[in-house]
Amino acid sequence: MLPYLQINTDITHLSNYKTPATARYYFEVNSEPDVTKLSEIYSFCRQQDIPYLVVSWGTNMLFAFEEYRWVIIKNNLLGWSYDTQTKVLKSYSQESIWDIAQELEDDYRQDLWHRFIGLPGSIGGALFGNAGCFGLEIQHNFVATQVYNLESGKIEAWTTDDMAFSYRNTKLKNSNGKYFIVSLEFDLSEKKEKYHSDIDNIYFREHKQPKWNSCGSFFKNPSKDQPAGMLIEEVWLKGYWVGGAYFSEKHANFLMHDGQGTYRDMLELIELAQTKVQERFGIRLENEVRIIKAK
Ligand SMILES: Cc1cc2nc3c(=O)[nH]c(=O)nc-3n(C[C@H](O)[C@H](O)[C@H](O)COP(=O)(O)OP(=O)(O)OC[C@H]3O[C@@H](n4cnc5c(N)ncnc54)[C@H](O)[C@@H]3O)c2cc1C
């Protein structure tokens, strides 16, 4: 047993859904020296035959368990800077992407990341899943990331070619948690976007999206013409409840938790939506949010 692992920790608050959960082992990464302990944790997990999970802001994961035998690794690496001459942004992975985007505008008159104002979660979590909104994706101004390889115990520098970005996907996401994102670098000298949108993102987030216990859009959009929210609405599940879980009346693809239910309610509702959409449209809805099932 590693002396720095905490035992039996309540981690309910670490996922934005706040379904009740505890972790057998828990570790916080508060500094760069803490990062080097992750390879020991990796070896410990292999010896014990238990998995581990990195959590940053928890705005994109559903804990689908109550007592978790895993090691939960909580990221707390903070600090960022912006160079007004080179227009290079450098940040540790736990910084809020929303706060960075807001401060770039307010303090540096840099509005290239305006679309990220209102996007919850960390900059590292955004990189992991190639987060994006209103035409702008994290990949667009990305230069490099320093990742810690838990297997080799070495830091690696990844550039765009290494990342293999696609829609809400990256190579990091397909690496079985082998890499911990330490820091990131972006070049904000040129505006790049996937498509142009005239939507006012701040108004949209404030008025068209529900607040409280959600992780944003639960399912990926099968296509631009068939967004998941529309399909859920068409099978009459907008506003539908199972126990403490429901699809929001404001936005049908927002799976919500009322804070009183359990992960079982959430899974039942997710499966119901997948079955009904499959039966009616022949489309398999895939989650954008990661469901963490107990081993
Ligand atoms: C109200 C709301 C609206 C949203 N709108 C959008 C939207 O418009 N577009 C969009 O793309 N997303 C959206 N999301 C989802 C969310 O904002 C993003 O996915 C966010 O980038 C996730 O960051 P996080 O820190 O919460 O990651 P977490 O949920 O903590 O983790 C997500 C995944 O990344 C991994 N991970 C996190 N940090 C690290 C790290 N340092 N090293 C290695 N792996 C790591 C985790 O293991 C996990 O698999 C929304 C969420 C909410 C709640």
Side-chain angles (χ1 to χ4, degrees):
M1 164 71 187
L2 301 171
Y4 45 78
L5 291 182
Q6 291 177 40
I7 304 290
N8 299 334
T9 305
D10 185 350
I11 54 162
T12 303
H13 62 288
L14 293 190
S15 152
N16 233 32
Y17 285 122
K18 302 191 174 49
T19 48
T22 55
R24 178 92 180 96
Y25 303 106
Y26 178 80
F27 179 69
E28 289 189 356
V29 179
N30 294 311
S31 62
E32 287 209 37
D34 287 343
V35 174
T36 58
K37 298 202 175 99
L38 295 180
S39 65
E40 273 178 10
I41 293 178
Y42 180 82
S43 304
F44 172 77
C45 288
R46 297 204 84 169
Q47 281 158 16
Q48 302 284 319
D49 192 25
I50 54 172
Y52 59 89
L53 171 74
V54 174
V55 183
S56 285
W57 280 56
T59 65
N60 207 28
M61 57 172 69
L62 168 62
F63 292 151
F65 56 87
E66 272 152 6
E67 288 177 21
Y68 211 28
R69 285 177 55 246
W70 302 22
V71 179
I72 298 294
I73 299 166
K74 175 69 183 73
N75 180 20
N76 287 333
L77 289 180
L78 292 172
W80 69 278
S81 65
Y82 176 66
D83 185 325
T84 49
Q85 299 298 313
T86 59
K87 299 193 175 4
V88 168
L89 165 73
K90 292 183 180 173
S91 179
Y92 279 109
S93 52
Q94 178 64 0
E95 282 291 346
S96 152
I97 192 164
W98 175 345
D99 288 352
I100 292 177
Q102 185 76 61
E103 283 180 47
L104 283 172
E105 269 192 28
D106 295 348
D107 300 346
Y108 299 98
R109 293 167 175 262
Q110 167 57 275
D111 66 357
L112 242 60
W113 269 17
H114 179 77
R115 293 313 201 178
F116 290 153
I117 295 178
L119 178 66
S122 68
I123 193 166
L127 180 72
F128 185 86
N130 192 19
C133 36
F134 311 103
L136 180 66
E137 289 178 331
I138 194 99
Q139 72 175 86
H140 288 127
N141 297 89
F142 173 80
V143 174
T145 178
Q146 306 278 317
V147 295
Y148 180 80
N149 181 331
L150 277 75
E151 202 171 60
S152 69
K154 295 204 169 101
I155 293 273
E156 299 174 16
W158 285 28
T159 59
T160 300
D161 286 347
D162 304 304
M163 288 295 297
F165 289 109
S166 60
Y167 171 55
R168 300 292 175 270
N169 205 359
T170 62
K171 195 171 154 194
L172 286 172
K173 201 169 176 177
N174 299 312
S175 299
N176 285 326
K178 208 170 104 182
Y179 301 96
F180 177 85
I181 305 162
V182 178
S183 59
L184 310 86
E185 191 176 321
F186 298 86
D187 174 0
L188 300 185
S189 59
E190 194 190 338
K191 186 178 173 108
K192 298 173 191 169
E193 53 188 11
K194 195 170 174 181
Y195 58 86
H196 177 74
S197 161
D198 286 323
I199 293 173
D200 176 341
N201 49 296
I202 296 172
Y203 180 89
F204 186 89
R205 297 249 183 222
E206 191 57 32
H207 297 278
K208 307 272 183 195
Q209 292 188 345
K211 297 194 169 57
W212 316 121
N213 302 340
S214 91
C215 283
S217 295
F218 187 82
F219 295 109
K220 291 182 186 174
N221 290 324
S223 69
K224 232 181 160 197
D225 302 335
Q226 290 180 305
M230 187 191 84
L231 298 174
I232 292 167
E233 207 171 331
E234 295 270 329
V235 296
W236 305 103
L237 290 180
K238 187 175 186 177
Y240 190 85
W241 285 68
V242 171
Y246 61 101
F247 286 115
S248 167
E249 284 284 5
K250 263 194 173 173
H251 188 316
N253 195 19
F254 269 54
L255 175 68
M256 312 292 295
H257 176 234
D258 71 355
Q260 307 298 317
T262 69
Y263 75 86
R264 291 184 191 85
D265 302 335
M266 309 289 278
L267 293 185
E268 199 179 320
L269 187 54
I270 292 161
E271 273 173 38
L272 184 67
Q274 284 175 321
T275 306
K276 283 188 175 279
V277 168
Q278 177 82 47
E279 280 171 6
R280 171 103 184 264
F281 298 101
I283 294 172
R284 175 75 187 164
L285 286 177
E286 274 181 47
N287 347 325
E288 185 172 323
V289 173
R290 188 170 166 197
I291 302 177
I292 316 290
K293 291 194 173 157
K295 201 179 168 190

